[in-house]
Each structure stands twice: as C-alpha cells, then as structure tokens.
Amino acid sequence: MAADQLSTTFAALADPTRRAILARLSSGECSVTELAEPFDMSMPAVSKHLRVLERAGLIARGREAQWRPCRIEPAPLKEVAAWAERYRHIWEARLDRLDDYLQEMKAQEKKHGRKQRRK
C-alpha cells in the first residue's frame, strides 16, 4: 500500500537531522559535502537522509559539472501548512477555553483566599 504524500512528508520531517538539513537548505543551495559538515556521521548516512527527503519531494538534487547542489522544494511543506491550518481554529478555541478556566480559577482564589496545602 503506497503512503499518501502527507504521511511521507511527516515521516521525513520526523527526524531531527532531516529537519536540520532542510533548515540549512532554506538559506540556499548546498552541496552534499556542505550539508554533511555539521553532522557527526558518515557521508553514506547523510546520503540516506537526503534520499528520504528527496523521495518525500522536500528536496531536489541537481547536477552542474562536478557540483551536485541540493535545494529545498516548498510544495510538500505548503501541504503540511495547509493541513495544520485546517485545525488551527480548534486548537485556538481549546486554548481560549483553557485561558478562561484559569482566569476563573484565579478569580475564585482571590475571592476566597488561597487554600493551604496539607503536609
């Protein structure tokens, strides 16, 4: 069974190394060697991370003579943002209700005095 694009994107983003690679690529194209510099791992390990990102459509690799630049591809990230946006109103409403509840508790505490804890 083939995974849907959103699941593939989230799976790729689940790894902190891959997120760090994307963050670095957000500044512009880099070679694989440049991407590997900050990580304490082998080049084959970095290449595996890049393959996961490439399969998810999050990066594209080019070829310019001897240079193999990697660049970020924004389309899957836009899909993640659109998915999250559909739920934002729910999260905000829940946080607003929590804030109202906490304000109510503070008001009651102020009105009745703070209860002391038993030891």
Side-chain angles (χ1 to χ4, degrees):
M1 183 167 126
D4 65 286
Q5 180 61 46
L6 192 59
S7 296
T8 302
T9 303
F10 276 122
L13 294 173
D15 186 274
T17 300
R18 292 192 285 267
R19 291 192 306 270
I21 289 170
L22 287 175
R24 186 156 176 157
L25 287 173
S26 69
S27 299
E29 291 184 351
C30 292
S31 70
V32 174
T33 305
E34 291 170 327
L35 288 171
E37 284 174 5
F39 304 107
D40 186 25
M41 63 178 68
S42 66
M43 286 299 286
V46 172
S47 291
K48 284 182 182 181
H49 283 295
L50 293 175
R51 278 194 300 276
V52 171
L53 291 168
E54 193 171 21
R55 275 195 303 266
L58 290 162
I59 67 166
R61 294 199 244 189
R63 174 177 262 163
E64 297 174 18
Q66 299 291 36
W67 194 51
R68 306 284 190 263
C70 295
R71 69 180 180 282
I72 197 165
E73 291 290 331
L77 294 174
K78 288 179 183 177
E79 187 179 341
V80 168
W83 177 86
E85 183 63 30
R86 288 187 292 220
Y87 298 97
R88 185 162 58 105
H89 71 279
I90 295 169
W91 301 327
E92 287 177 348
R94 288 180 182 178
L95 287 172
D96 289 345
R97 286 195 307 269
L98 177 60
D99 186 50
D100 292 345
Y101 176 72
L102 291 173
Q103 294 303 324
E104 184 180 313
M105 287 182 65
K106 281 183 183 178
Q108 286 179 359
E109 218 174 67
K110 207 175 208 181
K111 182 179 177 183
H112 299 293
R114 192 172 186 156
K115 294 182 182 180
Q116 291 185 359
R117 290 184 175 181
R118 293 183 185 177
K119 291 186 180 183

